[in-house]
Each structure stands twice: as C-alpha cells, then as structure tokens.
Amino acid sequence: MNSFDFFLDEEQRMIRDLARKIAEERVKPIREECDEKERFPWEIVRELAATDLFGIYIPVEYGGMGKGMFELSLIIEELSKVDAGIALCLAGTALGVIPIIHFGNESQKKKYLPEISKGSMVAAFAITEPEAGSDILTLQTTARKENGFYILDGTKHFISNAGEAQIYTVFATTDKAKGARGISAFLVEKGTAGFTFGKKERKLGIRSSPTRELIFNNCKIPRESLLGREGMGLMIALRTFDLSRPGVAAQALGIAEGALEEAIKYARERKQFGQSIISFQSISHRIAELASEIEAVRALLYNVCRLIDSNPRGKFTKESAMVKLLASDLAMKTTIEVIQILGGYGYMKDYPVEKMMRDAKITQIYEGTNEIQKNEIITAIIREFAKKK
Amino acid sequence: MRFIVCVKQVPATTEIGIDEGTGTLIREGVETIINPFDEYALEEAVRLKEKVGGIVTAISMGPPQAETTLRDCIARGADEAILITDKKLAGSDTLATAFALSSAIRKIGNFDLIICGKQAIDGDTAQVGPGLAEKLNIPHISYVKKIETINSNHIKVHRLMEDGVDILESSLPALVTVVKDINVPRLPSLKRMILAKKIKITYFGLQDIGVDPSKVGLIGSPTRVIKVTHPPLRPSGEKITGNIEEMAAKLVNKLSKAGLI
C-alpha cells in the first residue's frame, strides 16, 4: 500500500526498503515453519546484522549505525507486516540493550554492544515474575552483596528471547526496605553458574520468539554486573519502557498493515454473487476505515519517534504510552475484521491472517498492559494540569 | 586478484514491447533491475574476493540510467564500477556488445577472472559472455554452478550440463558464466548502500576505449532481426480427475476411443 509521504530522509527510505526486502525475501518463506515449530529465527538475526540493521540504534563507536528509535521502528514495522514474532528477535533484543546504551558504563558497552551489532548474540530483558506483573514493586528476586559479588536468587518468567539470548538485563531487589528505590538492574550472562532456564511457554502467538523462565539459584555475579547504581533499577526499567514502547507500537502497526494488505488482495480477487467482494459496501467501507486509522496511528508513531530522537533524555512517557495503546488496539481490531473479510479462508492456516490475529494480542499485553498505559497517560495529564495552576 | 563482473540493466518485467521497426526491445519507461543471473555472478566475485583477496570491478554497457544498476553492484559488494555509454552504441547486437566490452576491459588492463551471468533475461542470447572471451582471446567455461578452487593462475569449476556435471580446469585469466545454482546472493548492506550513493562511477565513451563507431551500434551489428512473432499458444491439456479407479477407467476409455489401444 502506498502511504503518506512522511518526509523520510534518504537513509530512512533505504532502511525501510531494505527491511521490506528482508521481510519479503527472507522472512516470508520461513514464517509458517517458525510459527508452527516455535523456532527462533537465527538466520534472520544474521541477515539483519549482515545488512547493518540489527544494530541500527546502537552507537557507531560500538559497531552500530548510530540511528534512533525512529529507524528501529521502521525496521520493526516492515518485519511485522510479514511476521511480528520474527520481528521480536530484533525488538526483544533492543529491549534488553536499551538499558545498556543508556545506563551502562564504558566497559559494559564495549563488552556487549559490538557483539549485538554483529548479530553474534541477542539480548533479553527480565523484570516480570510470577507474582510481579504490572505491580513491579512486588519483585521477589533478590540480589545480596557478598565479598565483592552479588548473589541472585529468584525466578523470572515470561521472558522473551530467553534461552537464545546471551545477555540478560535482570531486575532484582537489593534493599527491600527502600521499596521503589531498592531495586537494581544487573547484566547476567547465559552460562553463569546458578543461572538456568525453566520451562518454555506454549503460546497463542509470537511463537517463534521463545518465552521462558529464568531461574537464579545462589547465582554469583561480579560486582561489575551492576547496571548504573544500586537502587536505580526501577528508574532504568521505566525509562527503558518509555524508549521501547514505540517499538511495540511499530510491531502492532506492522501487523495491522500486513493484515489489511491481505484483506485488500483477497477482497479484490474473491468473487461472490457474481462480483468481487470489494464492490460490496460492507467490505469496502470497513477497509476504508481501517486504512484511515492505520495512517493516523502511523502519523502518531512517527511523530513520537521523532520526539524521542530529538532528545532521548527528554520526557515522553505519555506520548510513548499513547502510541503503544492505540497501535496495539488497532492491530487487534484490524486482524479480527480482516479474518471476517476473508471469511472461512481467514480462519484457515492457508492464509496468514489467523496468525496475525494471534500475534496481535500480545501487543496489548506486554511492555505494560494497555491498562497500565492508560495509567501512565492519565498520571502525566494530571501532572501537566497541576503544573498549569 | 582482480575480478571483473559484467552486468546488464534489464526490464523488471518479462512482458515488454518490441519495436516493430528495429526488432529491439522497447526499454523506455519500464522499471529496471540488475539482470538476475548477473547478481549470482557478482555474488560469486565478491565471495572469491573475500576468500583470496583482490578487487571486484563491475562493468556495464548501456544508457546513462544503467548507472543505478552499477550503484546497486557497489551496494552488493563491488569495489568499483564502469559504465560504457555512448549514443553510437544503441542497437548493438551481441557481437558488437562483446567487442565494446572487450575494448573497455583491455583498457582496464590486468585481470584474473571475468564472471558473467549465463544470459540476460531480456534478450536471452547467452552469447555475450563467450563472445567477450573470444574477443579477449582467453578461455571460457559457461554454465558454471560451482567454483571449487582458484589460485593465481588456475581455476577448477563444475559446469552444469543437461545430463550431469562436468568438472573442468582452466588457466587464468579466463571467463566463466554462472547459473543460479552457484550461490544465494546477499542483500545489500546499509553501509554499502550509503557508500554506493557517493561513489564515483567511471564513464567510458567510444573514444575512451578506442572503438571505431562503425564496429558497434546498429551499423556495426551483423545480426538483423527479420521478424518477431509470438510462439503459438500450446493448447491446454485435459485433466482427468477422480479416484485412481475412476481416472484409470476414463483414461482407458479415451485411449481406446482414439484407437491407441
């Protein structure tokens, strides 16, 4: 579909077109298999790295392309048009890497970022626990200091990229008495003694992206694994979400676009009652409405990304939450309607739209449920109003 | 080592008009791509370079807009690119094209291996590669599906035949044309795409390569397209359906009706 000209510069157009090519030529042929067999797409990680896209947002001095969240979102959007689960190899890694870029010290950056840029490792972000979902402050995982080391104990679950990732940004309580200021973030490498993986979850969608438990049992990590300072964990997590949520929005937008494209293709070809079903108003108006909403969300997403990139240290919690909320709801709505347009065919696995619907649902849930996004938005609004007085 | 890859810009579609007067393809206003077989040739050259070192030169003959194809070659790993372009070249047949290419390559000087796609998807002649080798007076091997070994003066390749594979050796310099089984071309990388936008493409006109205008273009091309026709459509066959017993019964019935059994 032709979209509005969003005044992408020449390099942004190159990035988008290259990502589109990878999605069409490399992702599409494996999407069904990766979904069916729950297989992690390492070949796509390598392809993205070989084309310089895997580290697009990583600073140049660490082997990346030094671009921003906008360029990252463009790639996630293009990949997600074809397969939002496979897009997670990039997006899930970014979630684990953003804390290193923004809060890591020089030696942490030097150690991990070039490997990520090269695609020789992927990363993961581990905050969620069985008893701590939206309520982050109830984290049970602890990190206690001992002879210049930290000892991690506890279980993380629902961790994307788990098992495949080499490096994990893990959140744990260093001082329970301090509450929100008692949480710290650590970089933990796969293979560390006392760090194992629990069961792999069987999921509705994004099945090519592994979701597993991380189990820390008397896991001794060096002091240098601490990200930022002790007690900064919650701030690091919230800040990371502010930066990463547009990525979820891009993923959701991609799903919606990919699904709508399937609907248009189908509706033009499918004949019933002697004519293409796109000539029926009930179909064509639905498509017209969805296409308009997609453009509106895209306009918001690109603007939020530009806002973030114009000052990555600025404040954009509200904007980032808004676009995640709207994009993910639109992805869900679009995929459901698109299946209806395809009728029985849409319900079958011969067409990709049932998978798109399954993949869409998670975007309303992870990196903060949409209910949490609304809390973030209203908190920001109330704060803005209070300031005016 | 120096690897030269010959590339052609071709229409992105196979549904293309033909100029009734000259019998040549109408190329104006059609979206273009790098000839797909040339992508394999370029990829192979880049892989060889990565293995044994050296440089890859992409060369094309065509109108000035063929520059986009050469920039694409840079993005896919070529180190430098040359475009032979001159109005007097218009209408060149395979002989004239091979002659112009050979003159340009002589001007470049030393090289070790020339790699071409087995044919272009527009003209489908498969003649320019071998013709070029003849003009340069070097050995050539066409339909190569694997380059097994290469060193400074020797190459060992697998040639795809209809009934099998030939394993052949040749001295260098030489020319090979490649089939699509040889590799899976990489996608251009972002860094190289950015580089490709900036890099200077060398332009050669007829004078630069010392070519007599009477040897190229329509006048220098002995090939004359007398007439272009569409092949007659093959009538579609009849599909016999049903379970095995039904299909067998229908088939026997038809064959006996036709007096064949």
Side-chain angles (χ1 to χ4, degrees):
Chain A
M1 248 187 311
N2 273 328
S3 62
F4 286 68
D5 184 345
F6 281 99
F7 307 103
L8 303 187
D9 64 30
E10 193 175 18
E11 285 186 13
Q12 287 164 342
R13 283 200 302 272
M14 275 184 202
I15 290 165
R16 181 197 57 193
D17 294 348
L18 189 51
R20 188 172 294 172
K21 224 174 156 78
I22 292 170
E24 283 296 322
E25 292 179 17
R26 307 291 205 251
V27 175
K28 199 175 258 180
I30 62 167
R31 77 170 155 193
E32 204 180 329
E33 182 228 327
C34 284
D35 177 55
E36 191 78 28
K37 297 190 177 149
E38 303 187 335
R39 182 173 76 75
F40 185 76
W42 269 109
E43 68 267 49
I44 302 301
V45 172
R46 283 191 288 269
E47 189 72 57
L48 289 167
T51 50
D52 305 321
L53 298 186
F54 201 66
I56 192 86
Y57 57 98
I58 293 175
V60 176
E61 56 268 40
Y62 307 109
M65 291 299 292
K67 303 288 180 188
M69 291 300 113
F70 192 6
E71 288 78 7
L72 174 63
S73 291
L74 286 174
I75 302 169
I76 294 173
E77 181 189 346
E78 288 304 324
L79 296 177
S80 300
K81 282 184 191 173
V82 174
D83 191 320
I86 289 178
L88 256 188
C89 69
L90 170 67
T93 293
L95 184 61
V97 168
I98 288 170
I100 306 178
I101 295 175
H102 287 265
F103 302 98
N105 58 36
E106 187 57 25
S107 72
Q108 289 166 336
K109 289 181 190 178
K110 263 195 188 141
K111 190 168 180 194
Y112 300 116
L113 298 183
E115 296 300 319
I116 302 281
S117 300
K118 271 191 282 180
S120 54
M121 57 167 76
V122 298
F125 180 93
I127 194 162
T128 304
E129 296 181 2
E131 303 302 328
S134 297
D135 185 5
I136 299 177
L137 291 182
T138 56
L139 285 185
Q140 303 286 311
T141 300
T142 56
R144 64 193 152 81
K145 230 187 232 167
E146 206 181 277
N147 305 328
F149 286 87
Y150 284 99
I151 313 287
L152 286 178
D153 276 294
T155 301
K156 296 285 169 188
H157 85 163
F158 295 172
I159 306 306
S160 297
N161 279 355
E164 303 294 342
Q166 190 62 35
I167 183 69
Y168 297 78
T169 301
V170 178
F171 294 83
T173 303
T174 36
D175 189 345
K176 207 171 173 85
K178 286 188 179 164
R181 293 181 194 282
I183 297 170
S184 305
F186 300 91
L187 297 176
V188 188
E189 290 181 20
K190 179 178 172 177
T192 306
F195 171 23
T196 53
F197 300 102
K199 69 169 168 136
K200 184 173 169 180
E201 305 293 343
R202 294 157 60 233
K203 303 194 296 288
L204 175 72
I206 56 164
R207 287 159 51 88
S208 60
S209 175
T211 306
R212 289 178 75 170
E213 275 180 340
L214 312 184
I215 300 164
F216 300 100
N217 185 7
N218 208 15
C219 174
K220 195 168 157 186
I221 53 172
R223 210 184 182 141
E224 296 76 52
S225 310
L226 178 70
L227 198 55
R229 291 189 310 276
E230 260 189 41
M232 275 178 74
L234 186 67
M235 194 272 276
I236 291 176
L238 296 179
R239 201 62 199 149
T240 300
F241 285 140
D242 288 350
L243 289 155
S244 71
R245 276 170 186 152
V248 180
Q251 186 189 25
L253 175 66
I255 297 172
E257 287 175 88
L260 188 64
E261 230 167 88
E262 293 291 335
I264 296 168
K265 229 169 28 188
Y266 180 87
R268 279 164 53 87
E269 284 167 9
R270 172 72 168 170
K271 288 201 170 52
Q272 289 288 278
F273 307 103
Q275 50 193 318
S276 300
I277 62 168
I278 203 163
S279 63
F280 298 121
Q281 211 172 46
S282 68
I283 304 280
S284 61
H285 278 188
R286 229 187 272 202
I287 291 173
E289 283 167 11
L290 291 171
S292 309
E293 289 175 70
I294 284 172
E295 287 303 345
V297 166
R298 196 208 313 269
L300 179 61
L301 172 64
Y302 290 7
N303 269 316
V304 171
C305 288
R306 282 175 166 146
L307 171 74
I308 292 176
D309 291 341
S310 69
N311 179 16
R313 299 189 175 279
K315 227 177 156 39
F316 36 75
T317 305
K318 181 181 76 177
E319 292 78 2
S320 163
M322 282 175 166
V323 72
K324 194 269 190 188
L325 171 69
L326 289 180
S328 58
D329 283 351
L330 181 60
M332 204 58 231
K333 173 182 162 182
T334 304
T335 51
I336 286 176
E337 295 210 2
V338 165
I339 291 182
Q340 193 65 22
I341 291 170
L342 268 74
Y345 286 107
Y347 197 73
M348 304 299 159
K349 283 186 183 270
D350 300 326
Y351 284 84
V353 295
E354 60 82 29
K355 173 183 180 298
M356 290 170 169
M357 186 197 80
R358 290 187 282 109
D359 288 347
K361 188 62 203 171
I362 192 63
T363 62
Q364 293 178 308
I365 299 172
Y366 65 10
E367 294 190 36
T369 60
N370 280 5
E371 290 70 23
I372 290 293
Q373 307 304 317
K374 289 175 197 173
N375 289 353
E376 296 276 16
I377 295 164
I378 194 62
T379 305
I381 290 174
I382 290 170
R383 209 172 277 156
E384 283 166 20
F385 262 74
K387 261 189 205 160
K388 275 186 194 162
K389 283 182 183 169
Chain B
M1 296 181 85
R2 182 173 208 146
F3 303 97
I4 294 177
V5 181
C6 300
V7 297
K8 184 179 187 183
Q9 187 176 52
V10 295
T13 165
T14 50
E15 290 166 20
I16 185 164
I18 289 165
D19 185 319
E20 299 279 334
T22 61
T24 55
L25 303 176
I26 301 169
R27 297 175 190 277
E28 287 75 33
V30 183
E31 197 199 331
T32 59
I33 52 170
I34 175 173
N35 176 43
F37 291 110
D38 302 346
E39 274 189 52
Y40 300 99
L42 177 65
E43 176 66 24
E44 198 58 23
V46 174
R47 287 186 189 193
L48 288 174
K49 178 194 112 171
E50 285 167 353
K51 205 159 99 186
V52 302
I55 68 162
V56 174
T57 305
I59 184 165
S60 186
M61 182 177 122
Q65 55 266 33
E67 190 186 308
T68 55
T69 293
L70 287 170
R71 292 200 184 276
D72 192 25
C73 291
I74 300 286
R76 291 166 191 269
D79 299 290
E80 55 175 23
I82 296 166
L83 179 61
I84 310 165
T85 189
D86 200 306
K87 284 208 169 98
K88 299 191 183 79
L89 286 165
S92 292
D93 66 1
T94 54
L95 186 75
T97 302
F99 176 61
L101 280 171
S102 71
S103 307
I105 289 171
R106 281 214 164 90
K107 170 147 178 141
I108 297 171
N110 288 338
F111 63 90
D112 299 284
L113 183 66
I114 300 175
I115 310 181
C116 304
K118 74 165 173 139
Q119 67 197 57
I121 58 161
D122 53 359
D124 278 327
T125 67
Q127 290 171 358
V128 172
L132 171 60
E134 290 307 309
K135 294 280 180 201
L136 289 168
N137 204 20
I138 55 171
H140 81 265
I141 304 170
S142 44
Y143 305 110
V144 169
K145 63 167 277 193
K146 184 181 177 183
I147 295 180
E148 193 179 300
T149 55
I150 184 165
N151 59 39
S152 58
N153 51 22
H154 177 264
I155 190 170
K156 186 174 179 185
V157 305
H158 295 204
R159 176 169 67 183
L160 183 67
M161 303 299 287
E162 276 186 12
D163 54 353
V165 173
D166 292 341
I167 296 175
L168 301 164
E169 295 182 330
S170 168
S171 60
L172 292 181
L175 180 146
V176 297
T177 75
V178 300
V179 293
K180 66 178 168 52
D181 314 54
I182 195 162
N183 57 45
V184 178
R186 74 195 65 190
L187 292 171
S189 76
L190 183 58
K191 281 182 196 157
R192 291 208 64 93
M193 284 168 80
I194 294 168
L195 169 77
K197 285 273 165 196
K198 298 176 190 153
I199 207 164
K200 193 179 170 314
I201 307 281
T202 305
Y203 272 70
F204 282 167
L206 285 187
Q207 274 194 335
D208 301 314
I209 53 177
V211 164
D212 175 355
S214 69
K215 295 265 179 62
V216 292
L218 268 180
I219 43 166
S221 297
T223 313
R224 283 285 168 271
V225 179
I226 308 298
K227 197 177 166 200
V228 179
T229 58
H230 290 284
L233 281 178
R234 202 189 293 176
S236 58
E238 187 186 342
K239 198 172 176 184
I240 297 172
T241 55
N243 62 36
I244 291 175
E245 286 78 17
E246 288 165 5
M247 287 192 290
K250 282 181 198 168
L251 182 63
V252 169
N253 189 20
K254 277 183 183 297
L255 290 175
S256 58
K257 260 191 189 159
L260 292 169
I261 51 172

